[in-house]
Amino acid sequence: AVALDNAFMLTTAAFFGEGSDAIIGPASSGPTMNAQLVVKSVGIPQISYSATSPDLSDAGEYPTFFRTVASDAFQGKALAQFLKNDLSYNAICVVNALDSYLAKGAGAFVAAAFDLGMSVVKTIEIEENPTEDAAAAAKHLLDNQDCRIVFMMTQASAAGVVARHAVKAKIMGRTSGYVWVLPDAIAGNVEGVRATASVAGVLDDGTVVPAFDIDSAFTGSLGSIPLAPSGPEYDSFLAKYHAQTSTLGTCGGSNVDLLVGTCSCDATSDTAGNLFFQHDHDGDAATPDRCVGFIYDSEADGYDDGYPNSYTYYAYD
């Protein structure tokens, strides 16, 4: 709903009511699809730098959408080819979440595996945010299958929950005899996995599933992450990007609340006076606003993850 509302605002009310000529973002596939419902109706281009769902390749459904990253269909195909052609694996199990982005990515992997003559022994579907009992059920299904190669297509937070159960059952880790294959959504966000893996879970029957060390558990797993390109033009761009001044203001960290008298957000605004890097993230005028700027000299950024389609995303996200 947020992406839909903001797309409507950007195409009708931004720039003194003239509307945007183009939109960059959102980052994720689901919000991107929602925004395209509005954007395509006014015929302006929408470009995403990280929305990778294969669904977005449908030019009929998303006619004005472009992206600068490859579809997950390519990642799934590449991983299947690597497992078959380079490692000679033939039997695999698949764990995937049910939302469109993840299900389509897993589907691309399974289709490529079948094309290569591999055997997909079992496909296990879980919710995007699985409960402890759902993760335990997925673990139980894996534990009773004749496969030792597990492809897991979930978000990082869900992967931490599933991995906690897998470690407890001794089907993940260096000495487990299992190889877990982790796409970019997981391998590229290890800290997201750690956030849920490092907290013990409790099943409905009271059984405790202990926290674990993700670094040790992932030893022996295979991860897929995009490699940064290199070359004179890209290196020149990267140097200029990192040289930009941070827009976090004086608050000194990402996702921090603005405390009057202690620190301040970057005060840059557009010609209408709308602040780019300060946002009322909770809709409560009585609480401090939040700084939503960037730290350009590192890979980290400081925008508020709870508001990924903020006013500034068409210009800065």
Side-chain angles (χ1 to χ4, degrees), residues 79-131:
L79 282 170
Q81 290 178 342
F82 176 69
L83 294 176
K84 174 67 175 182
N85 299 334
D86 292 270
L87 300 181
S88 299
Y89 292 144
N90 291 302
I92 53 175
C93 284
V94 175
V95 178
N96 71 270
L98 289 171
D99 70 291
S100 174
Y101 157 61
L102 298 165
K104 290 291 184 179
F109 173 83
V110 170
F114 281 138
D115 288 343
L116 293 166
M118 301 173 73
S119 173
V120 179
V121 178
K122 183 70 176 179
T123 298
I124 302 167
E125 297 180 332
I126 60 174
E127 296 297 326
E128 184 177 358
N129 297 299
T131 64

Short mmCIF file of all heavy atoms in Angstrom, two decimals, residues 79-131:
data_model
loop_
_atom_site.label_atom_id
_atom_site.label_comp_id
_atom_site.label_asym_id
_atom_site.label_seq_id
_atom_site.Cartn_x
_atom_site.Cartn_y
_atom_site.Cartn_z
N LEU A 79 23.10 -21.17 -10.69
CA LEU A 79 23.35 -22.05 -9.55
C LEU A 79 23.11 -23.51 -9.91
O LEU A 79 23.89 -24.40 -9.51
CB LEU A 79 22.45 -21.64 -8.38
CG LEU A 79 22.89 -20.41 -7.60
CD1 LEU A 79 21.80 -19.96 -6.64
CD2 LEU A 79 24.18 -20.69 -6.83
N ALA A 80 22.06 -23.78 -10.66
CA ALA A 80 21.79 -25.15 -11.08
C ALA A 80 22.92 -25.69 -11.96
O ALA A 80 23.37 -26.83 -11.79
CB ALA A 80 20.45 -25.22 -11.82
N GLN A 81 23.39 -24.87 -12.88
CA GLN A 81 24.48 -25.29 -13.75
C GLN A 81 25.76 -25.54 -12.96
O GLN A 81 26.50 -26.49 -13.23
CB GLN A 81 24.73 -24.24 -14.83
CG GLN A 81 23.62 -24.16 -15.87
CD GLN A 81 23.86 -23.07 -16.89
OE1 GLN A 81 24.67 -22.16 -16.67
NE2 GLN A 81 23.16 -23.15 -18.02
N PHE A 82 26.02 -24.70 -11.97
CA PHE A 82 27.21 -24.87 -11.15
C PHE A 82 27.14 -26.18 -10.36
O PHE A 82 28.13 -26.94 -10.29
CB PHE A 82 27.35 -23.69 -10.19
CG PHE A 82 28.51 -23.81 -9.23
CD1 PHE A 82 29.81 -23.73 -9.68
CD2 PHE A 82 28.29 -24.02 -7.87
CE1 PHE A 82 30.88 -23.85 -8.80
CE2 PHE A 82 29.33 -24.13 -6.99
CZ PHE A 82 30.65 -24.05 -7.45
N LEU A 83 26.00 -26.46 -9.76
CA LEU A 83 25.86 -27.69 -8.98
C LEU A 83 26.00 -28.94 -9.85
O LEU A 83 26.60 -29.94 -9.44
CB LEU A 83 24.51 -27.70 -8.26
CG LEU A 83 24.31 -26.64 -7.17
CD1 LEU A 83 22.90 -26.72 -6.61
CD2 LEU A 83 25.33 -26.81 -6.05
N LYS A 84 25.44 -28.87 -11.06
CA LYS A 84 25.47 -30.03 -11.94
C LYS A 84 26.81 -30.16 -12.68
O LYS A 84 27.45 -31.21 -12.65
CB LYS A 84 24.33 -29.93 -12.95
CG LYS A 84 24.33 -31.00 -14.04
CD LYS A 84 24.05 -32.39 -13.48
CE LYS A 84 23.92 -33.41 -14.61
NZ LYS A 84 23.62 -34.76 -14.09
N ASN A 85 27.21 -29.10 -13.34
CA ASN A 85 28.36 -29.17 -14.23
C ASN A 85 29.70 -29.09 -13.52
O ASN A 85 30.68 -29.71 -13.97
CB ASN A 85 28.28 -28.06 -15.29
CG ASN A 85 27.05 -28.17 -16.15
OD1 ASN A 85 26.49 -29.25 -16.33
ND2 ASN A 85 26.58 -27.05 -16.69
N ASP A 86 29.78 -28.35 -12.42
CA ASP A 86 31.05 -28.18 -11.73
C ASP A 86 31.21 -29.12 -10.54
O ASP A 86 32.32 -29.55 -10.24
CB ASP A 86 31.21 -26.73 -11.27
CG ASP A 86 31.37 -25.76 -12.42
OD1 ASP A 86 32.49 -25.51 -12.85
OD2 ASP A 86 30.34 -25.25 -12.91
N LEU A 87 30.10 -29.41 -9.85
CA LEU A 87 30.19 -30.24 -8.65
C LEU A 87 29.60 -31.64 -8.84
O LEU A 87 29.70 -32.47 -7.93
CB LEU A 87 29.50 -29.54 -7.48
CG LEU A 87 30.06 -28.16 -7.10
CD1 LEU A 87 29.29 -27.58 -5.92
CD2 LEU A 87 31.55 -28.24 -6.77
N SER A 88 28.97 -31.86 -9.98
CA SER A 88 28.39 -33.17 -10.32
C SER A 88 27.33 -33.64 -9.32
O SER A 88 27.17 -34.83 -9.08
CB SER A 88 29.52 -34.24 -10.40
OG SER A 88 30.45 -33.90 -11.40
N TYR A 89 26.57 -32.70 -8.76
CA TYR A 89 25.45 -33.06 -7.89
C TYR A 89 24.22 -33.38 -8.75
O TYR A 89 23.96 -32.70 -9.75
CB TYR A 89 25.12 -31.94 -6.92
CG TYR A 89 26.18 -31.68 -5.87
CD1 TYR A 89 26.44 -30.39 -5.43
CD2 TYR A 89 26.90 -32.73 -5.31
CE1 TYR A 89 27.41 -30.15 -4.46
CE2 TYR A 89 27.86 -32.50 -4.34
CZ TYR A 89 28.12 -31.22 -3.92
OH TYR A 89 29.06 -30.98 -2.97
N ASN A 90 23.47 -34.37 -8.35
CA ASN A 90 22.31 -34.79 -9.14
C ASN A 90 20.99 -34.72 -8.39
O ASN A 90 19.94 -34.53 -9.00
CB ASN A 90 22.52 -36.23 -9.66
CG ASN A 90 23.62 -36.31 -10.69
OD1 ASN A 90 23.56 -35.64 -11.72
ND2 ASN A 90 24.64 -37.12 -10.42
N ALA A 91 21.00 -34.91 -7.07
CA ALA A 91 19.76 -34.93 -6.29
C ALA A 91 19.74 -33.75 -5.32
O ALA A 91 20.70 -33.55 -4.56
CB ALA A 91 19.65 -36.24 -5.51
N ILE A 92 18.68 -32.96 -5.34
CA ILE A 92 18.60 -31.78 -4.51
C ILE A 92 17.23 -31.68 -3.86
O ILE A 92 16.24 -32.20 -4.36
CB ILE A 92 18.85 -30.48 -5.32
CG1 ILE A 92 17.91 -30.45 -6.53
CG2 ILE A 92 20.29 -30.36 -5.74
CD1 ILE A 92 18.00 -29.17 -7.33
N CYS A 93 17.18 -31.00 -2.72
CA CYS A 93 15.92 -30.60 -2.09
C CYS A 93 15.83 -29.08 -2.14
O CYS A 93 16.87 -28.39 -2.17
CB CYS A 93 15.86 -31.08 -0.64
SG CYS A 93 15.52 -32.85 -0.46
N VAL A 94 14.62 -28.56 -2.14
CA VAL A 94 14.42 -27.11 -2.25
C VAL A 94 13.53 -26.64 -1.11
O VAL A 94 12.48 -27.24 -0.84
CB VAL A 94 13.78 -26.74 -3.60
CG1 VAL A 94 13.46 -25.25 -3.66
CG2 VAL A 94 14.69 -27.14 -4.75
N VAL A 95 13.95 -25.58 -0.43
CA VAL A 95 13.13 -24.90 0.57
C VAL A 95 12.90 -23.49 0.08
O VAL A 95 13.86 -22.76 -0.20
CB VAL A 95 13.83 -24.86 1.95
CG1 VAL A 95 12.96 -24.09 2.96
CG2 VAL A 95 14.13 -26.26 2.45
N ASN A 96 11.65 -23.09 -0.09
CA ASN A 96 11.40 -21.74 -0.57
C ASN A 96 10.19 -21.12 0.10
O ASN A 96 9.26 -21.81 0.51
CB ASN A 96 11.22 -21.70 -2.09
CG ASN A 96 9.92 -22.32 -2.56
OD1 ASN A 96 9.88 -23.51 -2.83
ND2 ASN A 96 8.86 -21.52 -2.67
N ALA A 97 10.24 -19.79 0.23
CA ALA A 97 9.10 -19.05 0.76
C ALA A 97 8.06 -18.86 -0.34
O ALA A 97 8.35 -18.99 -1.53
CB ALA A 97 9.56 -17.71 1.31
N LEU A 98 6.85 -18.51 0.06
CA LEU A 98 5.72 -18.52 -0.86
C LEU A 98 5.44 -17.19 -1.55
O LEU A 98 4.61 -17.14 -2.45
CB LEU A 98 4.46 -18.97 -0.11
CG LEU A 98 4.42 -20.44 0.29
CD1 LEU A 98 3.23 -20.70 1.21
CD2 LEU A 98 4.34 -21.33 -0.95
N ASP A 99 6.10 -16.10 -1.14
CA ASP A 99 5.80 -14.84 -1.81
C ASP A 99 6.32 -14.87 -3.24
O ASP A 99 7.17 -15.69 -3.61
CB ASP A 99 6.39 -13.67 -1.03
CG ASP A 99 7.90 -13.63 -1.11
OD1 ASP A 99 8.52 -14.53 -0.51
OD2 ASP A 99 8.46 -12.73 -1.76
N SER A 100 5.82 -13.98 -4.08
CA SER A 100 6.10 -14.03 -5.52
C SER A 100 7.58 -13.98 -5.83
O SER A 100 8.08 -14.77 -6.64
CB SER A 100 5.39 -12.86 -6.21
OG SER A 100 5.73 -12.79 -7.58
N TYR A 101 8.29 -13.07 -5.21
CA TYR A 101 9.72 -12.90 -5.49
C TYR A 101 10.49 -14.19 -5.23
O TYR A 101 11.26 -14.67 -6.07
CB TYR A 101 10.27 -11.76 -4.64
CG TYR A 101 11.76 -11.81 -4.41
CD1 TYR A 101 12.65 -11.75 -5.47
CD2 TYR A 101 12.27 -11.90 -3.12
CE1 TYR A 101 14.02 -11.79 -5.25
CE2 TYR A 101 13.62 -11.94 -2.89
CZ TYR A 101 14.50 -11.88 -3.96
OH TYR A 101 15.85 -11.92 -3.74
N LEU A 102 10.28 -14.79 -4.07
CA LEU A 102 11.04 -15.97 -3.68
C LEU A 102 10.56 -17.23 -4.40
O LEU A 102 11.37 -18.06 -4.81
CB LEU A 102 10.96 -16.15 -2.16
CG LEU A 102 11.57 -14.98 -1.37
CD1 LEU A 102 11.14 -15.03 0.08
CD2 LEU A 102 13.09 -14.99 -1.47
N ALA A 103 9.25 -17.36 -4.55
CA ALA A 103 8.72 -18.53 -5.23
C ALA A 103 9.15 -18.57 -6.69
O ALA A 103 9.50 -19.64 -7.23
CB ALA A 103 7.19 -18.54 -5.14
N LYS A 104 9.16 -17.42 -7.35
CA LYS A 104 9.59 -17.38 -8.75
C LYS A 104 11.08 -17.67 -8.88
O LYS A 104 11.51 -18.33 -9.83
CB LYS A 104 9.27 -16.00 -9.35
CG LYS A 104 7.78 -15.75 -9.54
CD LYS A 104 7.21 -16.64 -10.64
CE LYS A 104 5.75 -16.30 -10.89
NZ LYS A 104 5.17 -17.13 -11.97
N GLY A 105 11.87 -17.15 -7.93
CA GLY A 105 13.30 -17.44 -7.96
C GLY A 105 13.59 -18.92 -7.79
O GLY A 105 14.42 -19.50 -8.49
N ALA A 106 12.87 -19.54 -6.85
CA ALA A 106 13.02 -20.99 -6.64
C ALA A 106 12.54 -21.76 -7.86
O ALA A 106 13.14 -22.77 -8.26
CB ALA A 106 12.26 -21.42 -5.40
N GLY A 107 11.44 -21.28 -8.47
CA GLY A 107 10.91 -21.93 -9.65
C GLY A 107 11.90 -21.93 -10.80
O GLY A 107 12.02 -22.91 -11.55
N ALA A 108 12.63 -20.82 -10.95
CA ALA A 108 13.64 -20.73 -12.01
C ALA A 108 14.76 -21.73 -11.76
O ALA A 108 15.26 -22.37 -12.70
CB ALA A 108 14.20 -19.31 -12.07
N PHE A 109 15.15 -21.88 -10.49
CA PHE A 109 16.19 -22.86 -10.15
C PHE A 109 15.72 -24.28 -10.45
O PHE A 109 16.45 -25.08 -11.05
CB PHE A 109 16.55 -22.73 -8.67
CG PHE A 109 17.49 -23.80 -8.19
CD1 PHE A 109 18.85 -23.69 -8.38
CD2 PHE A 109 17.00 -24.92 -7.54
CE1 PHE A 109 19.72 -24.69 -7.95
CE2 PHE A 109 17.85 -25.92 -7.10
CZ PHE A 109 19.22 -25.81 -7.30
N VAL A 110 14.49 -24.60 -10.04
CA VAL A 110 13.96 -25.96 -10.25
C VAL A 110 13.85 -26.26 -11.74
O VAL A 110 14.19 -27.36 -12.20
CB VAL A 110 12.59 -26.10 -9.55
CG1 VAL A 110 11.91 -27.40 -9.97
CG2 VAL A 110 12.77 -26.07 -8.03
N ALA A 111 13.36 -25.29 -12.53
CA ALA A 111 13.22 -25.50 -13.97
C ALA A 111 14.58 -25.77 -14.61
O ALA A 111 14.71 -26.66 -15.46
CB ALA A 111 12.55 -24.29 -14.61
N ALA A 112 15.58 -25.00 -14.20
CA ALA A 112 16.93 -25.20 -14.74
C ALA A 112 17.49 -26.55 -14.32
O ALA A 112 18.16 -27.23 -15.11
CB ALA A 112 17.84 -24.07 -14.27
N ALA A 113 17.20 -26.96 -13.09
CA ALA A 113 17.68 -28.26 -12.60
C ALA A 113 17.07 -29.40 -13.41
O ALA A 113 17.76 -30.35 -13.80
CB ALA A 113 17.34 -28.41 -11.12
N PHE A 114 15.78 -29.30 -13.69
CA PHE A 114 15.12 -30.33 -14.50
C PHE A 114 15.72 -30.38 -15.91
O PHE A 114 15.94 -31.45 -16.48
CB PHE A 114 13.62 -30.06 -14.58
CG PHE A 114 12.86 -30.50 -13.37
CD1 PHE A 114 11.85 -29.71 -12.84
CD2 PHE A 114 13.15 -31.71 -12.74
CE1 PHE A 114 11.13 -30.12 -11.72
CE2 PHE A 114 12.43 -32.13 -11.62
CZ PHE A 114 11.43 -31.33 -11.11
N ASP A 115 15.98 -29.21 -16.49
CA ASP A 115 16.56 -29.15 -17.83
C ASP A 115 17.92 -29.83 -17.89
O ASP A 115 18.33 -30.36 -18.93
CB ASP A 115 16.70 -27.70 -18.30
CG ASP A 115 15.35 -27.06 -18.63
OD1 ASP A 115 14.37 -27.80 -18.82
OD2 ASP A 115 15.30 -25.82 -18.68
N LEU A 116 18.63 -29.81 -16.75
CA LEU A 116 19.95 -30.42 -16.68
C LEU A 116 19.90 -31.90 -16.29
O LEU A 116 20.94 -32.54 -16.12
CB LEU A 116 20.82 -29.66 -15.67
CG LEU A 116 21.19 -28.23 -16.07
CD1 LEU A 116 21.75 -27.46 -14.88
CD2 LEU A 116 22.19 -28.23 -17.22
N GLY A 117 18.70 -32.41 -16.10
CA GLY A 117 18.55 -33.82 -15.75
C GLY A 117 18.75 -34.11 -14.28
O GLY A 117 18.94 -35.27 -13.89
N MET A 118 18.69 -33.08 -13.43
CA MET A 118 18.84 -33.28 -12.00
C MET A 118 17.53 -33.75 -11.39
O MET A 118 16.45 -33.51 -11.95
CB MET A 118 19.31 -31.98 -11.32
CG MET A 118 20.63 -31.45 -11.86
SD MET A 118 21.07 -29.83 -11.18
CE MET A 118 21.54 -30.28 -9.50
N SER A 119 17.59 -34.39 -10.26
CA SER A 119 16.41 -34.87 -9.56
C SER A 119 16.08 -33.94 -8.40
O SER A 119 16.91 -33.75 -7.50
CB SER A 119 16.64 -36.29 -9.03
OG SER A 119 15.56 -36.71 -8.21
N VAL A 120 14.90 -33.32 -8.44
CA VAL A 120 14.44 -32.49 -7.32
C VAL A 120 13.62 -33.41 -6.41
O VAL A 120 12.46 -33.71 -6.66
CB VAL A 120 13.59 -31.31 -7.81
CG1 VAL A 120 13.11 -30.47 -6.62
CG2 VAL A 120 14.41 -30.45 -8.77
N VAL A 121 14.27 -33.88 -5.36
CA VAL A 121 13.68 -34.91 -4.50
C VAL A 121 12.46 -34.39 -3.75
O VAL A 121 11.45 -35.08 -3.63
CB VAL A 121 14.75 -35.44 -3.51
CG1 VAL A 121 14.14 -36.49 -2.58
CG2 VAL A 121 15.94 -36.01 -4.27
N LYS A 122 12.55 -33.17 -3.24
CA LYS A 122 11.46 -32.62 -2.44
C LYS A 122 11.49 -31.10 -2.51
O LYS A 122 12.56 -30.50 -2.43
CB LYS A 122 11.58 -33.07 -0.97
CG LYS A 122 10.45 -32.62 -0.06
CD LYS A 122 9.15 -33.33 -0.37
CE LYS A 122 8.05 -32.95 0.61
NZ LYS A 122 6.78 -33.62 0.30
N THR A 123 10.32 -30.50 -2.68
CA THR A 123 10.19 -29.05 -2.58
C THR A 123 9.36 -28.72 -1.35
O THR A 123 8.23 -29.22 -1.21
CB THR A 123 9.51 -28.46 -3.83
OG1 THR A 123 10.32 -28.73 -4.98
CG2 THR A 123 9.34 -26.96 -3.70
N ILE A 124 9.91 -27.93 -0.46
CA ILE A 124 9.25 -27.60 0.81
C ILE A 124 8.94 -26.12 0.82
O ILE A 124 9.84 -25.28 0.71
CB ILE A 124 10.15 -27.97 2.00
CG1 ILE A 124 10.50 -29.46 1.96
CG2 ILE A 124 9.48 -27.60 3.32
CD1 ILE A 124 11.61 -29.85 2.90
N GLU A 125 7.68 -25.75 0.95
CA GLU A 125 7.26 -24.36 0.94
C GLU A 125 6.95 -23.89 2.36
O GLU A 125 6.32 -24.60 3.14
CB GLU A 125 6.03 -24.19 0.05
CG GLU A 125 6.30 -24.51 -1.42
CD GLU A 125 5.06 -24.34 -2.28
OE1 GLU A 125 3.94 -24.50 -1.74
OE2 GLU A 125 5.21 -24.04 -3.48
N ILE A 126 7.41 -22.70 2.67
CA ILE A 126 7.16 -22.10 3.98
C ILE A 126 6.65 -20.67 3.77
O ILE A 126 6.77 -20.10 2.69
CB ILE A 126 8.42 -22.08 4.86
CG1 ILE A 126 9.53 -21.25 4.18
CG2 ILE A 126 8.91 -23.48 5.16
CD1 ILE A 126 10.77 -21.06 5.05
N GLU A 127 6.06 -20.11 4.81
CA GLU A 127 5.62 -18.73 4.74
C GLU A 127 6.82 -17.79 4.68
O GLU A 127 7.93 -18.15 5.06
CB GLU A 127 4.76 -18.38 5.95
CG GLU A 127 3.46 -19.15 6.04
CD GLU A 127 2.53 -18.86 4.88
OE1 GLU A 127 2.53 -17.70 4.41
OE2 GLU A 127 1.81 -19.77 4.44
N GLU A 128 6.58 -16.58 4.21
CA GLU A 128 7.67 -15.60 4.10
C GLU A 128 8.29 -15.33 5.47
O GLU A 128 9.51 -15.14 5.59
CB GLU A 128 7.14 -14.30 3.50
CG GLU A 128 8.22 -13.26 3.27
CD GLU A 128 7.67 -12.01 2.60
OE1 GLU A 128 6.46 -11.99 2.28
OE2 GLU A 128 8.44 -11.06 2.42
N ASN A 129 7.45 -15.32 6.52
CA ASN A 129 7.94 -15.16 7.90
C ASN A 129 7.46 -16.36 8.70
O ASN A 129 6.44 -16.30 9.39
CB ASN A 129 7.41 -13.86 8.51
CG ASN A 129 7.91 -12.63 7.77
OD1 ASN A 129 9.11 -12.39 7.70
ND2 ASN A 129 6.99 -11.85 7.21
N PRO A 130 8.17 -17.48 8.62
CA PRO A 130 7.68 -18.73 9.21
C PRO A 130 7.69 -18.71 10.73
O PRO A 130 8.56 -18.09 11.36
CB PRO A 130 8.68 -19.77 8.68
CG PRO A 130 9.95 -19.00 8.48
CD PRO A 130 9.50 -17.65 7.99
N THR A 131 6.72 -19.40 11.32
CA THR A 131 6.72 -19.60 12.77
C THR A 131 7.77 -20.64 13.11
O THR A 131 8.30 -21.35 12.24
CB THR A 131 5.35 -20.08 13.24
OG1 THR A 131 5.09 -21.38 12.65
CG2 THR A 131 4.25 -19.10 12.84
#
